[in-house]
Coordinates of all heavy atoms in Angstrom, one line a residue:
F62 N 45.7 -3.8 -51.3 CA 45.0 -3.4 -52.4 C 43.7 -2.8 -52.0 O 43.5 -2.6 -50.9 CB 44.6 -4.7 -53.4 CG 43.5 -5.5 -52.8 CD1 42.3 -5.5 -53.4 CD2 43.6 -6.3 -51.7 CE1 41.3 -6.3 -52.9 CE2 42.7 -7.1 -51.1 CZ 41.5 -7.1 -51.8
E63 N 43.2 -2.1 -53.1 CA 41.9 -1.4 -53.0 C 41.1 -1.8 -54.1 O 41.6 -2.0 -55.3 CB 42.0 0.1 -52.9 CG 42.5 0.7 -51.6 CD 41.6 0.4 -50.4 OE1 40.2 0.4 -50.7 OE2 41.9 0.1 -49.3
S64 N 39.8 -2.0 -53.9 CA 38.8 -2.2 -55.2 C 37.9 -1.1 -55.2 O 37.1 -0.7 -54.1 CB 37.9 -3.5 -54.9 OG 38.8 -4.6 -55.1
I65 N 37.9 -0.2 -56.2 CA 37.0 0.9 -56.3 C 35.8 0.8 -57.2 O 36.2 0.2 -58.5 CB 37.9 2.1 -56.8 CG1 39.1 2.4 -55.8 CG2 37.0 3.3 -56.9 CD1 40.0 3.6 -56.2
G66 N 34.7 1.0 -56.7 CA 33.5 0.9 -57.9 C 33.5 2.0 -58.8 O 33.9 3.1 -58.4
P77 N 38.5 8.4 -49.7 CA 38.6 7.2 -48.8 C 39.3 6.0 -49.0 O 40.0 5.4 -48.3 CB 37.0 7.0 -48.5 CG 36.3 8.3 -48.9 CD 37.2 8.8 -50.0
H78 N 39.2 5.6 -50.4 CA 40.0 4.4 -50.8 C 41.5 4.7 -50.8 O 42.3 3.8 -50.3 CB 39.7 4.1 -52.3 CG 38.4 3.3 -52.2 ND1 38.4 1.9 -51.9 CD2 37.2 3.5 -52.8 CE1 37.2 1.5 -52.0 NE2 36.4 2.5 -52.5
R81 N 42.5 4.7 -47.0 CA 42.7 3.2 -46.6 C 44.0 2.6 -47.1 O 44.5 1.9 -46.4 CB 41.4 2.5 -46.9 CG 41.4 1.2 -46.0 CD 40.1 0.4 -46.1 NE 39.8 0.0 -47.4 CZ 38.6 -0.5 -47.7 NH1 37.6 -0.7 -46.9 NH2 38.3 -0.6 -49.0
R159 N 36.0 -16.5 -36.7 CA 37.4 -16.1 -37.3 C 38.5 -16.9 -36.5 O 39.6 -16.8 -37.0 CB 37.4 -14.7 -37.3 CG 38.5 -14.1 -38.3 CD 38.5 -12.7 -38.5 NE 38.5 -12.4 -39.9 CZ 38.5 -11.2 -40.4 NH1 38.3 -10.0 -39.5 NH2 38.5 -10.9 -41.6
L174 N 44.8 -7.4 -39.1 CA 43.4 -7.6 -39.3 C 42.7 -6.4 -39.9 O 41.7 -6.4 -40.5 CB 42.7 -8.1 -38.0 CG 43.1 -9.6 -37.6 CD1 42.6 -9.8 -36.2 CD2 42.7 -10.5 -38.6
A176 N 44.2 -4.3 -42.0 CA 44.8 -3.8 -43.3 C 44.1 -4.6 -44.4 O 43.8 -5.9 -44.3 CB 46.2 -4.2 -43.3
K177 N 44.0 -4.1 -45.7 CA 43.4 -4.8 -46.9 C 44.7 -5.4 -47.5 O 45.2 -4.8 -48.5 CB 42.6 -3.7 -47.5 CG 41.8 -4.6 -48.7 CD 40.8 -3.5 -49.2 CE 40.0 -4.0 -50.4 NZ 39.1 -5.1 -50.1
T178 N 45.1 -6.5 -47.0 CA 46.2 -7.2 -47.6 C 45.8 -8.0 -48.8 O 44.6 -8.4 -48.9 CB 47.0 -8.0 -46.6 OG1 46.3 -9.2 -46.4 CG2 47.3 -7.3 -45.3
Y181 N 44.1 -13.0 -49.3 CA 42.6 -13.2 -49.2 C 42.3 -14.8 -49.2 O 41.1 -15.0 -49.4 CB 41.9 -12.4 -50.1 CG 41.3 -11.1 -49.6 CD1 42.1 -10.3 -48.8 CD2 39.9 -10.7 -49.8 CE1 41.6 -9.1 -48.2 CE2 39.4 -9.7 -49.3 CZ 40.2 -8.7 -48.5 OH 39.8 -7.5 -47.9
N184 N 39.8 -15.5 -46.6 CA 38.4 -14.9 -46.9 C 37.7 -15.8 -47.9 O 36.5 -16.0 -47.9 CB 38.5 -13.5 -47.4 CG 39.4 -12.7 -46.4 OD1 40.4 -13.1 -45.7 ND2 39.0 -11.4 -46.1
M185 N 38.5 -16.3 -49.1 CA 37.8 -17.0 -50.0 C 37.4 -18.4 -49.6 O 36.4 -18.9 -49.9 CB 38.8 -17.0 -51.2 CG 39.3 -15.8 -51.9 SD 37.8 -15.0 -52.6 CE 37.6 -13.6 -51.4
F201 N 32.0 -13.2 -40.4 CA 32.9 -13.7 -39.5 C 32.5 -13.1 -38.0 O 32.1 -11.9 -37.8 CB 34.4 -13.0 -39.7 CG 35.1 -13.5 -40.7 CD1 35.6 -12.8 -41.9 CD2 35.2 -15.0 -40.9 CE1 36.3 -13.4 -42.9 CE2 36.0 -15.5 -42.0 CZ 36.5 -14.7 -42.9
L209 N 32.0 -9.2 -36.6 CA 33.1 -8.6 -37.2 C 32.7 -8.0 -38.6 O 32.1 -6.9 -38.7 CB 34.3 -9.5 -37.3 CG 34.8 -10.0 -35.9 CD1 35.8 -11.2 -36.1 CD2 35.3 -8.9 -35.2
E210 N 33.0 -8.8 -39.5 CA 32.6 -8.3 -41.0 C 32.5 -9.4 -41.8 O 32.7 -10.7 -41.4 CB 33.8 -7.6 -41.5 CG 35.3 -8.3 -41.5 CD 36.4 -7.6 -41.8 OE1 36.3 -6.4 -42.2 OE2 37.5 -8.1 -41.6
A211 N 32.1 -9.4 -43.1 CA 32.0 -10.5 -44.1 C 33.4 -10.5 -44.7 O 34.2 -9.7 -44.6 CB 30.9 -10.2 -45.0
P212 N 33.6 -11.7 -45.4 CA 34.9 -11.8 -46.1 C 35.3 -10.7 -47.1 O 36.5 -10.4 -47.2 CB 34.9 -13.2 -46.7 CG 33.9 -13.9 -46.1 CD 32.8 -12.9 -45.6
T213 N 34.3 -10.2 -47.6 CA 34.6 -9.0 -48.6 C 33.6 -7.8 -48.4 O 33.3 -7.1 -49.4 CB 34.6 -9.5 -50.1 OG1 33.3 -9.9 -50.4 CG2 35.5 -10.6 -50.3
A214 N 33.0 -7.7 -47.2 CA 32.1 -6.6 -47.0 C 32.0 -6.3 -45.5 O 32.4 -7.1 -44.7 CB 30.7 -7.1 -47.5
S215 N 31.3 -5.1 -45.4 CA 30.9 -4.7 -43.9 C 29.6 -5.2 -43.6 O 28.8 -5.3 -44.6 CB 31.1 -3.2 -43.9 OG 32.2 -2.8 -44.3
V216 N 29.2 -5.2 -42.4 CA 27.9 -5.5 -41.9 C 27.3 -4.3 -41.3 O 27.8 -3.7 -40.4 CB 28.0 -6.5 -40.7 CG1 26.6 -7.0 -40.2 CG2 28.8 -7.9 -41.2
I233 N 38.7 -5.4 -37.9 CA 38.0 -5.4 -39.2 C 38.5 -4.3 -40.1 O 39.2 -3.3 -39.6 CB 36.5 -5.3 -39.1 CG1 36.2 -4.1 -38.4 CG2 36.1 -6.6 -38.4 CD1 34.5 -3.8 -38.3
L234 N 38.3 -4.4 -41.3 CA 38.5 -3.2 -42.1 C 37.4 -2.2 -42.0 O 36.3 -2.4 -41.8 CB 38.5 -3.5 -43.8 CG 39.5 -4.5 -44.3 CD1 39.3 -4.4 -45.8 CD2 40.8 -4.0 -44.1
H235 N 37.8 -0.8 -42.2 CA 36.7 0.2 -42.1 C 36.3 0.4 -43.5 O 36.9 0.9 -44.3 CB 37.4 1.5 -41.5 CG 36.3 2.4 -41.0 ND1 36.5 3.6 -40.3 CD2 35.0 2.3 -41.1 CE1 35.4 4.1 -39.9 NE2 34.4 3.4 -40.4
G236 N 35.0 0.0 -43.8 CA 34.5 -0.1 -45.2 C 34.2 1.4 -45.6 O 33.6 2.2 -44.9
T237 N 34.6 1.7 -46.9 CA 34.4 3.0 -47.5 C 32.9 3.1 -47.8 O 32.3 4.3 -47.7 CB 35.2 3.2 -48.7 OG1 34.8 2.2 -49.8 CG2 36.7 3.2 -48.4
T238 N 32.2 2.0 -48.2 CA 30.8 2.0 -48.5 C 30.0 2.4 -47.3 O 29.0 3.1 -47.3 CB 30.3 0.7 -49.2 OG1 31.4 0.3 -50.0 CG2 29.0 0.9 -49.9
Q239 N 30.3 1.7 -46.0 CA 29.5 1.8 -44.8 C 29.8 3.4 -44.4 O 28.8 4.0 -43.9 CB 30.1 0.8 -43.8 CG 29.8 1.2 -42.4 CD 30.7 2.0 -41.6 OE1 31.8 1.7 -41.5 NE2 30.1 3.1 -41.0
L240 N 31.1 4.0 -44.5 CA 31.3 5.3 -44.1 C 30.4 6.2 -45.0 O 29.8 7.1 -44.4 CB 32.9 5.5 -44.4 CG 33.8 5.5 -43.3 CD1 35.2 5.6 -43.9 CD2 33.6 6.4 -42.2
L272 N 27.7 -4.6 -47.1 CA 28.0 -3.4 -47.8 C 29.5 -3.5 -48.4 O 30.3 -3.7 -47.6 CB 28.0 -2.2 -47.1 CG 26.6 -1.7 -46.7 CD1 26.9 -0.5 -45.8 CD2 25.7 -1.3 -47.8
S273 N 29.6 -3.3 -49.7 CA 30.9 -3.3 -50.4 C 31.0 -2.5 -51.7 O 29.9 -2.1 -52.1 CB 31.5 -4.7 -50.6 OG 30.6 -5.4 -51.2
S274 N 32.1 -1.9 -52.0 CA 32.3 -1.0 -53.1 C 31.7 -1.4 -54.3 O 31.3 -0.5 -55.2 CB 33.8 -0.8 -53.3 OG 34.3 -0.2 -52.2
V275 N 31.7 -2.7 -54.6 CA 31.3 -3.1 -56.1 C 29.8 -3.7 -56.1 O 28.9 -3.4 -56.7 CB 32.2 -4.0 -56.6 CG1 31.8 -4.5 -58.0 CG2 33.7 -3.3 -56.8
R276 N 29.7 -4.6 -55.0 CA 28.3 -5.2 -54.9 C 27.3 -4.2 -54.4 O 26.1 -4.4 -54.5 CB 28.4 -6.6 -54.1 CG 26.9 -7.3 -54.1 CD 27.2 -8.7 -53.5 NE 27.5 -8.6 -52.1 CZ 27.8 -9.7 -51.3 NH1 27.7 -10.8 -51.7 NH2 28.0 -9.5 -50.0
L277 N 27.8 -3.3 -53.6 CA 27.0 -2.2 -52.8 C 26.2 -3.0 -51.8 O 26.7 -3.8 -51.1 CB 26.2 -1.4 -53.9 CG 27.1 -0.8 -55.0 CD1 26.2 0.0 -56.0 CD2 28.2 0.0 -54.4
Ligands
LIG411 N1 35.7 -5.8 -45.0 C1 36.5 -6.8 -45.9 C2 37.2 -7.9 -45.4 C3 36.5 -6.4 -47.2 O1 37.3 -7.1 -48.1 C4 35.9 -5.3 -47.7 C5 35.9 -5.0 -49.2 O2 36.5 -5.7 -49.9 C6 35.0 -4.5 -46.8 C7 34.9 -4.8 -45.5 C8 34.1 -3.4 -47.4 O3 34.9 -2.3 -47.7 P1 34.6 -1.4 -49.0 O4 33.2 -0.9 -48.6 O5 35.5 -0.3 -48.8 O6 34.5 -2.1 -50.2

Side-chain angles (χ1 to χ4, degrees):
F62 77 107
E63 284 296 322
S64 293
I65 301 178
H78 279 288
R81 192 170 60 191
R159 197 174 228 176
L174 296 169
K177 195 163 168 69
T178 74
Y181 261 47
N184 304 44
M185 298 300 107
F201 283 130
L209 295 171
E210 63 187 346
T213 65
S215 311
V216 180
I233 59 173
L234 289 190
H235 200 172
T237 60
T238 319
Q239 172 267 308
L240 267 170
L272 288 179
S273 51
S274 296
V275 180
R276 190 171 62 181
L277 304 180

